[in-house]
Amino acid sequence: MTKKIIMLFLLLSGVNLSSYSQNATKAKAILAEVSKKFKTYQIVKAAFTFTIDNPKAKINRTEKGTLYVKANANKYRMTIAERDLISDGKNQWTYLKEDKEVQVTTVDNSSDALNPAQIFTLYEKGFSAFYTGEKRIGIKVFQIIDLTPLDNKKNYSKVRLSIDKSAKQVVNVLIFDKDGSKYTYSVKSFQPNVKLPESTFIFDAKKYPGVEVVDLR
């Protein structure tokens, strides 16, 4: 009887490992297609909502925003609520509109924070990926992929992507923080190859009379 139990356990373990491997392989294949398509774009414009859900602090709010990303240059401009985040790939400007203050920092690509320019490509490095299935909403089908950071020192434990199957596009990013908080970026509209000048990705203090520049570099 003991031998039969052991054999059954080994058999089930083999099936589970095989299933996990298949789902990991499928996740990589899906993400490779998404990445390939996204990199054909020059500048992308996306309207989105950003939701913070922090049960401990009793915070649950949603803000609307607009994001411009230069896909292959790590450049972005994000407007959300009363602040703008702007980066030329080397420097980041955080413009606090009510305070009439802009903080200048050096872009840290190894930071624990997620770079707005990487929202559509964050899965490309530093994660293991696992395909968990499909979800249909109306006429659209979404592929769900869970990302686990390889560095367990990250503040977040998991990132869940929802990908439009036909468009091959990330439409929802759900970040699970280790403190129990959840952060969600939900794309409401997506426009590729918009025409914008390079100055879009630089903060020009001359255009903001009275702004205080705080250089933290």
Side-chain angles (χ1 to χ4, degrees):
M1 180 64 71
T2 302
K3 288 183 178 180
K4 289 183 178 180
I5 293 174
I6 292 174
M7 289 298 292
L8 179 61
F9 175 77
L10 291 174
L11 179 61
L12 291 174
S13 297
V15 170
N16 289 336
L17 287 173
S18 176
S19 176
Y20 183 90
S21 178
Q22 289 175 4
N23 285 331
T25 300
K26 185 167 184 175
K28 290 180 181 179
I30 292 170
L31 293 175
E33 289 185 345
V34 173
S35 182
K36 182 179 179 180
K37 185 171 182 180
F38 184 76
K39 288 180 178 179
T40 64
Y41 305 141
Q42 292 299 312
I43 298 176
V44 166
K45 177 184 178 182
F48 66 93
T49 58
F50 174 61
T51 300
I52 301 174
D53 182 14
N54 185 329
K56 290 183 181 178
K58 296 182 179 180
I59 296 173
N60 190 306
R61 70 172 185 267
T62 299
E63 301 172 337
K64 294 180 180 180
T66 304
L67 174 65
Y68 297 92
V69 175
K70 192 164 187 180
N72 298 315
N74 199 33
K75 298 180 180 181
Y76 57 86
R77 186 183 191 100
M78 183 169 74
T79 299
I80 185 168
E82 295 301 318
R83 62 191 182 279
D84 289 346
L85 295 176
I86 306 165
S87 177
D88 61 0
K90 296 180 180 179
N91 304 292
Q92 176 177 287
W93 294 267
T94 303
Y95 175 43
L96 307 174
K97 299 175 185 178
E98 287 189 354
D99 298 331
K100 289 189 175 181
E101 176 183 294
V102 61
Q103 299 173 355
V104 191
T105 55
T106 301
V107 172
D108 182 4
N109 293 317
S110 64
S111 172
D112 198 53
L114 294 176
N115 185 328
Q118 300 169 344
I119 287 298
F120 297 107
T121 57
L122 61 86
Y123 50 81
E124 292 185 333
K125 59 182 179 179
F127 293 95
S128 60
F130 184 79
Y131 173 74
T132 66
E134 294 184 350
K135 180 190 295 185
R136 181 181 291 274
I137 301 178
I139 62 172
K140 291 192 174 183
V141 176
F142 301 96
Q143 297 168 308
I144 312 302
I145 293 177
D146 282 351
L147 305 175
T148 303
L150 299 179
D151 181 359
N152 58 19
K153 293 181 181 179
K154 294 290 186 182
N155 289 335
Y156 49 91
S157 58
K158 181 171 64 177
V159 178
R160 177 166 293 160
L161 304 179
S162 296
I163 296 169
D164 186 318
K165 186 175 182 178
S166 61
K168 293 181 172 54
Q169 175 192 316
V170 175
V171 294
N172 197 82
V173 179
L174 173 57
I175 303 166
F176 295 83
D177 200 286
K178 289 179 179 177
D179 69 358
S181 301
K182 295 179 182 178
Y183 304 91
T184 306
Y185 291 89
S186 184
V187 178
K188 300 304 179 183
S189 67
F190 185 91
Q191 184 180 351
N193 297 321
V194 297
K195 302 296 182 183
L196 290 173
E198 276 297 308
S199 58
T200 301
F201 306 105
I202 297 175
F203 184 89
D204 185 354
K206 295 177 183 178
K207 295 181 179 180
Y208 301 84
V211 68
E212 180 183 358
V213 179
V214 180
D215 197 331
L216 303 175
R217 290 171 293 185

